[in-house]
Amino acid sequence: MTDASMKPGARRLAQLLFCTIACATYAVALAGEEDTVSRFVSYYQKAYAEGRDLIPAPQKPLDISSIAEQLDLQTITPEGALSGSAFLASDGTIVKLAGAQGCLSTEEMEFAGLQTTCAMVSLAGITAMLGEAAAPAANAFPCHFLGQNAGSPTVRFAECFFVEDGETQSLSQVLISKGVAFAARDRAGRPVFPEYAQAETRAQKAKAGIWADAHFTHPYGERYRANPSMN
C-alpha cells in the first residue's frame, strides 16, 4: 500500500505507527537504563517483540454479560503498552483487553513503508491508540472489569472505552477495525464478542492495517503462504 493510495484516516494511523514502532524499538534497546516503570514496560515489550506474550489467559471464565447487566466503569490511567492488547495502569496492575488479541508473528513484513513485524505493528497500534483514547480526558479513560488473575503482578481483564467525535468507542473494537489486532477468541475458538469478529471481517475485507499484507491469519498472526502448494 502506498502513502498516496491511503485514505486520510489510514495515513494518519500509518504515521502514528511509524513513530511508535521506532520509539518502541528504541525503548527496548534502552531497557535497563530507565526507571522501574520503564524497565517493567520495556521487559514486556521486548518479550512481545520476540513473539512471546507474557500476559496469561484468564484463570476463570470472564463474566461477559456484566457489561450489559451491571456496567461499572472505573477510570484508568495507562502508563504504557505491554503487548498488542494489554497495558500497564498507573496503579501498577496490568489491564488486558478482553475483546482483542494482538499479533504475535515475528515474520518480517512491510507496513507503511517500514520493514517491521506483525507483532511490532500490534504493539505500536495499541501505543498510538492509548494516547488517542487518554488525551481528551486528562490522560485517562473508563474501563469495565470482567475478572482478574491471582498472583503478582495483578492482571485484570477489561473492556475500555473513549469518546471520539461525540461517540463512545470500544478500544478493543477500534484496534480490530484499524487492523492492528484480532478479535479475541476463547479456547473453543469462539469470539469473546461476536460483534468484534464482524469488525475483524470488515477490516480484512478492507485490507486495513495488518490485513493489507494478506498473509496473516488469526489468532496469533501466523504467517501462511499465498499458495500452499509452493515449497
Side-chain angles (χ1 to χ4, degrees):
M1 178 183 294
T2 64
D3 187 68
S5 66
M6 291 183 181
K7 295 179 180 179
R11 188 181 303 113
R12 183 164 177 268
L13 176 61
Q15 292 168 344
L16 283 169
L17 289 172
F18 190 94
C19 175
T20 47
I21 286 171
C23 292
T25 303
Y26 183 65
V28 168
L30 292 181
E33 299 180 11
E34 304 158 332
D35 60 35
T36 302
V37 171
S38 296
R39 287 199 302 271
F40 183 89
V41 170
S42 294
Y43 175 75
Y44 276 81
Q45 287 187 353
K46 183 176 184 295
Y48 195 79
E50 295 171 349
R52 297 181 294 118
D53 191 344
L54 301 182
I55 300 168
Q59 295 167 342
K60 298 179 180 179
L62 300 177
D63 183 13
I64 302 301
S65 64
S66 65
I67 290 182
E69 298 172 358
Q70 297 177 321
L71 186 65
D72 180 19
L73 296 176
Q74 300 177 35
T75 300
I76 296 297
T77 301
E79 291 287 347
L82 303 178
S83 74
S85 52
F87 60 91
L88 178 67
S90 60
D91 63 0
T93 62
I94 292 174
V95 178
K96 169 71 172 69
L97 298 176
Q101 168 64 55
C103 187
L104 277 170
S105 172
T106 57
E107 293 282 345
E108 285 196 7
M109 64 177 289
E110 182 177 324
F111 186 89
L114 177 70
Q115 284 299 122
T116 184
T117 67
C118 191
M120 287 303 293
V121 170
S122 275
L123 183 59
I126 190 173
T127 299
M129 286 310 305
L130 287 175
E132 284 195 21
N139 294 320
F141 46 72
C143 296
H144 173 81
F145 291 95
L146 303 162
Q148 72 179 53
N149 283 355
S152 181
T154 300
V155 179
R156 305 176 75 189
F157 300 89
E159 277 301 284
C160 299
F161 306 90
F162 65 100
V163 176
E164 184 176 57
D165 298 329
E167 295 186 4
T168 301
Q169 306 277 350
S170 157
L171 184 56
S172 291
Q173 189 166 8
V174 170
L175 290 170
I176 295 164
S177 296
K178 290 181 179 294
V180 295
F182 305 107
R185 286 167 166 75
D186 60 22
R187 289 185 175 87
R190 296 175 300 232
V192 175
F193 295 97
E195 62 269 31
Y196 293 179
Q198 295 169 10
E200 180 185 293
T201 298
R202 290 193 295 270
Q204 185 174 13
K205 289 181 178 178
K207 297 183 179 180
I210 294 166
W211 297 113
D213 184 278
H215 294 289
F216 290 94
T217 186
H218 191 275
Y220 300 112
E222 296 176 352
R223 193 173 179 87
Y224 63 91
R225 293 181 184 275
N227 185 348
S229 65
M230 294 178 66
N231 294 322

